[in-house]
Amino acid sequence: MCGIVGYVGHDNAGPILINGLKRLEYRGYDSAGIAVWQTDDDIRVTREIGKVKNLAANVSPEEEDAGTGISHTRWATHGGVTELNAHPHRSWDKQIYLAHNGVIENYETLKSMLLSEGVTFYSETDSEVLANLIAFNLASQRGKVTTKSVQKAIRASLNLVEGTYGLAIMCASVPGTLFGARKGSPLILGVGKHEMMLASDASAIRARTSEVVYLDDNQLVTLTDERFTITTSDDSEVKPEISTLHWRDDEADLAGYEHYMLKEIYEQPSAVENAFRGRLDIEEGTSKFGGLNLTRQQIRQIDRILIVACGTAWHSGLVGEYLIEKYARIPVEVEYASEFRYRNTPMEKNTLVIVISQSGETIDTLEAQREARRKGYHVIGIINNVGSTIARENDGGIFQHSGPEIGVASTKAFTSQLTILSMLALYLGRTRDLSYTDGCEMLDAFKSLPGLVSQTLELAPAIEKIAKKFAHYDDFLFLGRLELFPVALEGALKLKEISYIHAEGYPSAEMKHGPIALISEKCPSLVLAPDDETLRKNLSSIQEVRARKGKVIVVTDSNEVPASLADELVIIPKAHPCIRPILMTIPLQLISYYIAVELGRDVDKPRNLAKSVTVE
Ligand code: M6R
């Protein structure tokens, strides 16, 4: 959580930093701030509660002829949402200015030590402690403050810190220089022409340069407009590897849509196509993946799969469990990454671990991956963000190529993950018992998917009307069976996240084991009723809800659901079961979106949330 941007170069830092922060706002939007050099060699700090637009309204970047600055958008951890707790933080002696993403776990001990030395504090944050610690270590050195002495003070301070950090730092005695460091929180260096940048992710940099260096944990970077050096914890210099970003800056624009979430919902035909492009092996009736880094032999030996993820990605893992077990007959378990990390899950020798993460930066998933690799398991990732830490640290993987997902509520990343998991089920199935004919049917399904997603999106106006009717309920149940149970969970999560309506997902048949007590005219249900062997059972569940005066929205691909049985009937196109969960998801995304809009919610930046969860 939290986004940081730093700039050193010949342009005005103000507008560059504000634009960068706007791109990173998905990481947190409790407060925002910038610290920039003024012409008079003074550093000016401006901080505002709330979104970046509040900050932008209060700085006049065009007046600031500053070529160096740092900035921050906050998701509060330590200390309330106040201007004093907003970043950048300044040391008591006005030497060190710092923007921090992460958590300093031992900040209380460090603060007591600094207080006993007479250092003063103005905020409740762990980050101010770090600013003061660096300044304290700097002041303890004799002689003139130089780039070297600042580096030394930063390194000495970081050696005392327990926790995580991505940092952008300026020192008042070393103009025209920025310092950055990371451990556990992402930090990227942008290498431009006569300018350099630091940022939590590439989206904040892309408008200025496509050349980036992904920094590793424990590295300290020092940058001026013309050069940068990276050192490791033993102070040896690292030869940087410069990567090129392949997506365009305008991919992160709204392109005329009112919200990123809606834009991303409508990007799903191409997101699913990007997920399967180049991965269908028509001749062999299977799919293919270039980056798993496993031999055919090793793939045949997999006797168990463990999927680890959080939130929406965990839901896609659950759908993956059903699909892989159905088509490949390999036992699959799905764990929350945060749970996996702290329990000693018994695992078979030939377990393949799959981590799923849109951002590739979720700390729980990253640490779960590290734990699994430490134990010697081969870990592959299904990741959207190519340069992310999870993607760089795993043993192999499958990139989603969905393009940037900005809306906090994940949409296109989820359906892209489902597409990949379904193709993986096909691939693993074809190394075992799945027939060529069955494989070809699945390939046909993938090829038809973008068209079917587009057809399903045509239901949007009808779903908007339904949403308006249902926007004022306080509780919802989402019901589905088999691979549509996790889709029901995902539908409930979407509604909770962006509309703040309480919603729960259940396997349809579980309803009568408890949740049925909630049913009344005040608690509607959304039932996923596919045209398969469970249809009759689902129709019975609907009857049971209706008998208790519950309103029902039915989403189905069957023509056999009597209109009289549902208060609202949404009929989606028929499809092969391996892609049906994808199509069933779309009406759920749309209904949540339109309910949130009807309630006037901030759809792309719902309260209390951040897109990328980089604290435990
Ligand atoms: O970036 P990741 O896929 O690792 O993120 C995992 C969750 O934090 C994420 O899916 C979250 O649940 C979304 N807000 C869901 O819409």
Side-chain angles (χ1 to χ4, degrees):
M1 343 282 260
C2 300
I4 59 180
V5 192
Y7 175 82
V8 52
H10 292 272
D11 254 338
N12 290 354
I16 297 169
L17 294 173
I18 298 276
N19 285 338
L21 284 187
K22 284 184 181 156
R23 297 282 199 229
L24 293 187
E25 223 176 359
Y26 71 86
R27 302 177 69 88
Y29 31 83
D30 288 332
S31 60
I34 64 170
V36 286
W37 283 87
Q38 302 294 277
T39 32
D40 56 2
D41 272 4
D42 196 22
I43 294 176
R44 186 170 112 186
V45 181
T46 311
R47 302 181 298 198
E48 291 293 332
I49 292 174
K51 303 207 168 98
V52 176
K53 64 175 191 239
N54 298 358
L55 175 71
N58 281 290
V59 290
S60 45
E62 61 285 354
E63 287 168 17
E64 289 161 4
D65 187 18
T68 314
I70 58 174
S71 61
H72 186 272
T73 179
R74 179 170 188 239
W75 187 84
T77 58
H78 294 60
V81 179
T82 63
E83 197 194 318
L84 281 184
N85 288 334
H87 298 222
H89 284 290
R90 190 199 62 207
S91 62
W92 91 100
D93 60 355
K94 298 193 181 166
Q95 270 295 305
I96 295 296
Y97 294 75
L98 159 154
H100 170 219
N101 166 30
V103 172
I104 309 299
E105 287 167 6
N106 59 338
Y107 79 104
E108 279 171 328
T109 317
L110 297 171
K111 190 169 180 174
S112 309
M113 185 275 283
L114 291 166
L115 283 168
S116 70
E117 296 285 347
V119 172
T120 54
F121 290 83
Y122 59 83
S123 81
E124 305 158 289
T125 64
D126 52 338
S127 312
E128 188 196 3
V129 176
L130 186 52
N132 276 337
L133 184 63
I134 297 170
F136 180 77
N137 280 323
L138 186 62
S140 316
Q141 296 176 42
R142 296 209 176 141
K144 195 169 169 279
V145 174
T146 60
T147 300
K148 274 250 165 307
S149 61
V150 179
Q151 288 169 333
K152 206 170 150 199
I154 294 174
R155 190 55 89 187
S157 307
L158 295 182
N159 286 342
L160 298 175
V161 158
E162 286 163 22
T164 54
Y165 49 80
L167 295 167
I169 305 167
M170 291 194 299
C171 174
S173 299
V174 189
T177 305
L178 283 186
F179 304 87
R182 72 156 278 181
K183 186 178 166 202
S185 301
L187 193 64
I188 293 174
L189 168 69
V191 184
K193 220 171 174 191
H194 311 303
E195 61 185 23
M196 304 278 168
M197 289 187 76
L198 280 175
S200 300
D201 86 28
S203 62
I205 288 178
R206 185 65 192 89
R208 307 291 301 184
T209 178
S210 56
E211 306 282 279
V212 298
V213 179
Y214 296 101
L215 297 168
D216 285 330
D217 275 357
N218 299 314
Q219 291 184 338
L220 171 64
V221 60
T222 306
L223 36 146
T224 62
D225 52 358
E226 296 295 349
R227 68 184 298 267
F228 65 91
T229 54
I230 301 173
T231 53
T232 54
S233 37
D234 62 3
D235 270 343
S236 51
E237 208 169 312
V238 176
K239 193 173 174 317
E241 193 184 313
I242 298 187
S243 313
T244 305
L245 300 172
H246 288 294
W247 44 273
R248 301 185 318 271
D249 187 44
D250 60 4
E251 281 187 79
D253 285 339
L254 273 169
Y257 286 91
E258 203 181 330
H259 298 103
Y260 282 110
M261 182 178 175
L262 190 62
K263 178 186 175 225
E264 287 155 9
I265 287 173
Y266 274 94
E267 281 173 348
Q268 290 178 110
S270 60
V272 295
E273 190 162 1
N274 290 344
F276 71 68
R277 182 177 293 118
R279 292 171 172 157
L280 306 184
D281 186 342
I282 309 295
E283 225 157 80
E284 300 290 332
T286 185
S287 46
K288 54 185 177 187
F289 301 101
L292 299 182
N293 298 332
L294 288 166
T295 61
R296 271 169 193 268
Q297 196 66 20
Q298 286 168 321
I299 286 174
R300 271 208 63 84
Q301 281 165 358
I302 296 167
D303 47 25
R304 213 175 104 113
I305 290 176
L306 178 70
I307 301 180
V308 185
C310 302
T312 287
W314 184 76
H315 294 155
S316 69
L318 288 175
V319 178
E321 174 182 1
Y322 281 95
L323 297 177
I324 294 171
E325 291 191 345
K326 180 170 174 178
Y327 296 111
R329 315 289 308 152
I330 301 174
V332 181
E333 272 193 60
V334 187
E335 279 217 48
Y336 282 117
S338 52
E339 292 288 307
F340 173 77
R341 200 187 154 188
Y342 289 106
R343 65 187 285 249
N344 200 7
T345 308
M347 287 158 79
E348 315 283 329
K349 190 164 137 259
N350 289 326
T351 299
L352 172 70
V353 178
I354 303 178
V355 298
I356 307 176
S357 175
Q358 185 286 129
S359 63
E361 297 293 352
T362 301
I363 192 81
D364 288 323
T365 312
L366 172 62
E367 290 300 339
Q369 167 169 293
R370 287 177 176 162
E371 178 67 12
R373 295 192 74 227
R374 198 176 292 126
K375 289 179 171 161
Y377 293 97
H378 189 89
V379 181
I380 63 164
I382 297 176
I383 311 285
N384 191 31
N385 185 359
V386 173
S388 61
T389 313
I390 297 180
R392 286 183 298 127
E393 285 190 16
N394 56 29
D395 298 301
I398 306 166
F399 284 119
Q400 296 184 223
H401 303 305
S402 315
E405 190 182 66
I406 311 284
V408 164
S410 185
T411 52
K412 65 175 178 174
F414 178 69
T415 47
S416 155
Q417 287 158 1
L418 298 193
T419 309
I420 289 171
L421 285 159
S422 192
M423 286 192 299
L424 191 62
L426 164 62
Y427 176 69
L428 295 169
R430 290 287 292 131
T431 64
R432 290 167 163 75
D433 302 328
L434 194 74
S435 72
Y436 172 76
T437 315
D438 288 344
C440 289
E441 276 178 17
M442 288 176 76
L443 289 177
D444 287 342
F446 297 129
K447 284 189 273 176
S448 69
L449 187 55
L452 293 171
V453 171
S454 298
Q455 275 180 45
T456 311
L457 285 168
E458 285 168 17
L459 296 166
I463 293 174
E464 185 176 3
K465 282 190 192 141
I466 298 173
K468 284 192 170 140
K469 285 193 212 161
F470 282 80
H472 296 283
Y473 287 91
D474 292 331
D475 300 285
F476 257 89
L477 280 184
F478 284 74
L479 304 172
R481 279 168 196 260
L482 304 176
E483 66 271 19
L484 297 183
F485 159 51
V487 173
L489 290 176
E490 173 61 8
L493 178 67
K494 283 294 86 92
L495 189 64
K496 277 186 271 210
E497 277 186 299
I498 58 167
S499 70
Y500 320 145
I501 293 173
H502 167 243
E504 293 189 44
Y506 268 96
S508 313
E510 272 299 297
M511 184 186 62
K512 54 189 178 295
H513 298 285
I516 199 162
L518 297 173
I519 304 278
S520 73
E521 67 279 9
K522 291 186 178 156
C523 176
S525 300
L526 190 150
V527 182
L528 301 172
D531 188 8
D532 64 10
E533 67 284 3
T534 64
L535 183 63
R536 298 283 137 216
K537 303 282 176 205
N538 280 322
L539 296 184
S540 303
S541 302
I542 295 168
Q543 297 278 19
E544 287 156 16
V545 174
R546 303 253 310 177
R548 287 154 184 89
K549 299 203 174 79
K551 295 232 179 293
V552 184
I553 304 168
V554 179
V555 181
T556 184
D557 55 357
S558 163
N559 299 322
E560 284 173 39
V561 179
S564 58
L565 199 61
D567 294 282
E568 301 292 344
L569 191 58
V570 177
I571 303 182
I572 64 166
K574 273 199 198 310
H576 190 285
C578 75
I579 56 166
R580 190 191 275 136
I582 299 167
L583 301 183
M584 283 280 180
T585 301
I586 292 165
L588 276 51
Q589 297 169 339
L590 287 167
I591 203 158
S592 295
Y593 171 77
Y594 286 119
I595 286 180
V597 170
E598 179 69 12
L599 295 175
R601 306 292 193 229
D602 192 342
V603 174
D604 285 332
K605 299 186 187 80
R607 71 182 180 203
N608 304 338
L609 291 173
K611 179 81 181 156
S612 187
V613 183
T614 56
V615 292
E616 277 195 72

Short mmCIF file of all heavy atoms in Angstrom, two decimals, residues 310-313 356-360 362 365 408-410 417 490 493-494 497 610-611 613, ligand 1:
data_model
loop_
_atom_site.label_atom_id
_atom_site.label_comp_id
_atom_site.label_asym_id
_atom_site.label_seq_id
_atom_site.Cartn_x
_atom_site.Cartn_y
_atom_site.Cartn_z
N CYS A 310 -4.61 -14.41 -2.72
CA CYS A 310 -5.46 -13.61 -1.82
C CYS A 310 -6.63 -13.02 -2.61
O CYS A 310 -6.51 -12.75 -3.81
CB CYS A 310 -4.70 -12.41 -1.27
SG CYS A 310 -3.21 -12.82 -0.39
N GLY A 311 -7.72 -12.75 -1.90
CA GLY A 311 -8.84 -12.00 -2.47
C GLY A 311 -9.40 -12.63 -3.73
O GLY A 311 -9.64 -13.84 -3.82
N THR A 312 -9.57 -11.78 -4.73
CA THR A 312 -10.12 -12.23 -6.01
C THR A 312 -9.25 -13.33 -6.63
O THR A 312 -9.76 -14.29 -7.22
CB THR A 312 -10.24 -11.02 -6.95
OG1 THR A 312 -11.33 -10.23 -6.49
CG2 THR A 312 -10.48 -11.41 -8.38
N ALA A 313 -7.94 -13.19 -6.49
CA ALA A 313 -7.03 -14.20 -7.06
C ALA A 313 -7.24 -15.55 -6.38
O ALA A 313 -7.13 -16.61 -7.00
CB ALA A 313 -5.59 -13.73 -6.92
N ILE A 356 -1.06 -16.95 -7.56
CA ILE A 356 -1.83 -16.11 -8.50
C ILE A 356 -1.88 -14.70 -7.92
O ILE A 356 -2.23 -14.51 -6.75
CB ILE A 356 -3.26 -16.64 -8.69
CG1 ILE A 356 -3.24 -18.12 -9.09
CG2 ILE A 356 -4.00 -15.82 -9.77
CD1 ILE A 356 -4.62 -18.75 -9.21
N SER A 357 -1.51 -13.72 -8.73
CA SER A 357 -1.55 -12.33 -8.26
C SER A 357 -1.57 -11.38 -9.45
O SER A 357 -0.70 -11.45 -10.31
CB SER A 357 -0.32 -12.04 -7.39
OG SER A 357 -0.29 -10.69 -7.02
N GLN A 358 -2.56 -10.55 -9.48
CA GLN A 358 -2.62 -9.53 -10.54
C GLN A 358 -1.42 -8.60 -10.43
O GLN A 358 -0.69 -8.40 -11.39
CB GLN A 358 -3.94 -8.76 -10.40
CG GLN A 358 -4.23 -7.73 -11.50
CD GLN A 358 -3.42 -6.46 -11.43
OE1 GLN A 358 -2.81 -6.04 -12.42
NE2 GLN A 358 -3.36 -5.83 -10.27
N SER A 359 -1.24 -8.04 -9.24
CA SER A 359 -0.19 -7.02 -9.07
C SER A 359 1.20 -7.62 -9.02
O SER A 359 2.18 -6.98 -9.36
CB SER A 359 -0.43 -6.26 -7.77
OG SER A 359 -0.31 -7.15 -6.66
N GLY A 360 1.29 -8.86 -8.52
CA GLY A 360 2.60 -9.47 -8.32
C GLY A 360 3.35 -8.84 -7.15
O GLY A 360 4.54 -9.09 -6.97
N THR A 362 1.54 -8.41 -3.89
CA THR A 362 0.82 -8.68 -2.63
C THR A 362 1.77 -9.37 -1.65
O THR A 362 2.29 -10.45 -1.94
CB THR A 362 -0.41 -9.55 -2.93
OG1 THR A 362 -1.22 -8.84 -3.85
CG2 THR A 362 -1.20 -9.87 -1.68
N THR A 365 1.19 -13.05 -0.59
CA THR A 365 1.45 -14.01 -1.67
C THR A 365 2.95 -14.13 -1.92
O THR A 365 3.48 -15.23 -2.12
CB THR A 365 0.70 -13.57 -2.96
OG1 THR A 365 -0.64 -13.25 -2.60
CG2 THR A 365 0.71 -14.65 -4.01
N VAL A 408 -9.77 -0.53 -8.19
CA VAL A 408 -9.40 -1.34 -7.03
C VAL A 408 -10.11 -2.70 -7.08
O VAL A 408 -9.54 -3.73 -6.71
CB VAL A 408 -9.73 -0.57 -5.72
CG1 VAL A 408 -9.73 -1.49 -4.52
CG2 VAL A 408 -8.69 0.53 -5.52
N ALA A 409 -11.35 -2.71 -7.56
CA ALA A 409 -12.07 -3.99 -7.68
C ALA A 409 -11.58 -4.71 -8.93
O ALA A 409 -11.72 -4.22 -10.05
CB ALA A 409 -13.56 -3.73 -7.76
N SER A 410 -11.03 -5.87 -8.73
CA SER A 410 -10.45 -6.61 -9.85
C SER A 410 -11.56 -7.19 -10.75
O SER A 410 -12.52 -7.77 -10.25
CB SER A 410 -9.60 -7.75 -9.28
OG SER A 410 -8.94 -8.41 -10.31
N GLN A 417 -7.39 -14.68 -15.40
CA GLN A 417 -6.84 -15.79 -14.60
C GLN A 417 -7.66 -17.06 -14.83
O GLN A 417 -7.10 -18.16 -14.94
CB GLN A 417 -6.85 -15.42 -13.11
CG GLN A 417 -5.79 -14.40 -12.74
CD GLN A 417 -6.08 -13.62 -11.46
OE1 GLN A 417 -7.10 -13.85 -10.80
NE2 GLN A 417 -5.21 -12.69 -11.12
N GLU A 490 -16.95 -14.49 -5.53
CA GLU A 490 -16.38 -13.32 -6.19
C GLU A 490 -17.47 -12.24 -6.39
O GLU A 490 -17.20 -11.05 -6.20
CB GLU A 490 -15.75 -13.73 -7.53
CG GLU A 490 -15.26 -12.61 -8.42
CD GLU A 490 -14.15 -11.75 -7.80
OE1 GLU A 490 -13.63 -12.10 -6.74
OE2 GLU A 490 -13.82 -10.71 -8.41
N LEU A 493 -17.96 -10.56 -3.11
CA LEU A 493 -16.82 -9.68 -2.79
C LEU A 493 -16.92 -8.37 -3.58
O LEU A 493 -16.71 -7.28 -3.04
CB LEU A 493 -15.49 -10.38 -3.10
CG LEU A 493 -14.24 -9.54 -2.87
CD1 LEU A 493 -14.04 -9.23 -1.38
CD2 LEU A 493 -12.99 -10.23 -3.40
N LYS A 494 -17.26 -8.48 -4.87
CA LYS A 494 -17.36 -7.26 -5.69
C LYS A 494 -18.38 -6.31 -5.09
O LYS A 494 -18.16 -5.12 -4.98
CB LYS A 494 -17.79 -7.59 -7.13
CG LYS A 494 -16.79 -8.17 -8.08
CD LYS A 494 -15.64 -7.28 -8.48
CE LYS A 494 -14.52 -7.35 -7.49
NZ LYS A 494 -13.47 -8.29 -7.70
N GLU A 497 -17.11 -4.74 -1.80
CA GLU A 497 -16.00 -3.80 -1.98
C GLU A 497 -16.44 -2.42 -2.44
O GLU A 497 -15.95 -1.43 -1.94
CB GLU A 497 -15.05 -4.33 -3.07
CG GLU A 497 -14.05 -5.33 -2.63
CD GLU A 497 -13.09 -5.65 -3.77
OE1 GLU A 497 -13.55 -6.14 -4.82
OE2 GLU A 497 -11.89 -5.41 -3.61
N ALA A 610 -7.06 -0.63 -0.88
CA ALA A 610 -5.99 -0.23 -1.79
C ALA A 610 -5.82 -1.36 -2.79
O ALA A 610 -6.11 -2.52 -2.48
CB ALA A 610 -4.70 -0.02 -1.03
N LYS A 611 -5.38 -1.03 -3.97
CA LYS A 611 -5.28 -2.04 -5.02
C LYS A 611 -4.23 -3.09 -4.70
O LYS A 611 -4.41 -4.27 -4.92
CB LYS A 611 -4.94 -1.33 -6.33
CG LYS A 611 -4.78 -2.24 -7.52
CD LYS A 611 -6.12 -2.59 -8.09
CE LYS A 611 -6.04 -3.53 -9.27
NZ LYS A 611 -7.29 -4.29 -9.43
N VAL A 613 -1.87 -4.76 -1.94
CA VAL A 613 -1.78 -4.86 -0.48
C VAL A 613 -0.37 -5.31 -0.10
O VAL A 613 -0.06 -6.49 -0.09
CB VAL A 613 -2.86 -5.82 0.06
CG1 VAL A 613 -2.81 -5.86 1.59
CG2 VAL A 613 -4.24 -5.35 -0.38
O1 M6R B 1 -2.73 -8.21 -6.82
P1 M6R B 1 -3.33 -9.43 -6.26
O2 M6R B 1 -4.07 -10.23 -7.27
O3 M6R B 1 -2.34 -10.28 -5.50
O4 M6R B 1 -4.39 -8.91 -5.20
C1 M6R B 1 -5.08 -9.79 -4.36
C2 M6R B 1 -6.23 -9.09 -3.67
O5 M6R B 1 -5.74 -8.07 -2.84
C3 M6R B 1 -7.21 -8.50 -4.66
O6 M6R B 1 -7.71 -9.47 -5.52
C4 M6R B 1 -8.39 -7.84 -3.91
O7 M6R B 1 -9.15 -8.79 -3.26
C5 M6R B 1 -9.22 -7.03 -4.91
N1 M6R B 1 -9.56 -5.77 -4.33
C6 M6R B 1 -10.46 -7.70 -5.33
O8 M6R B 1 -11.27 -6.92 -6.14
#
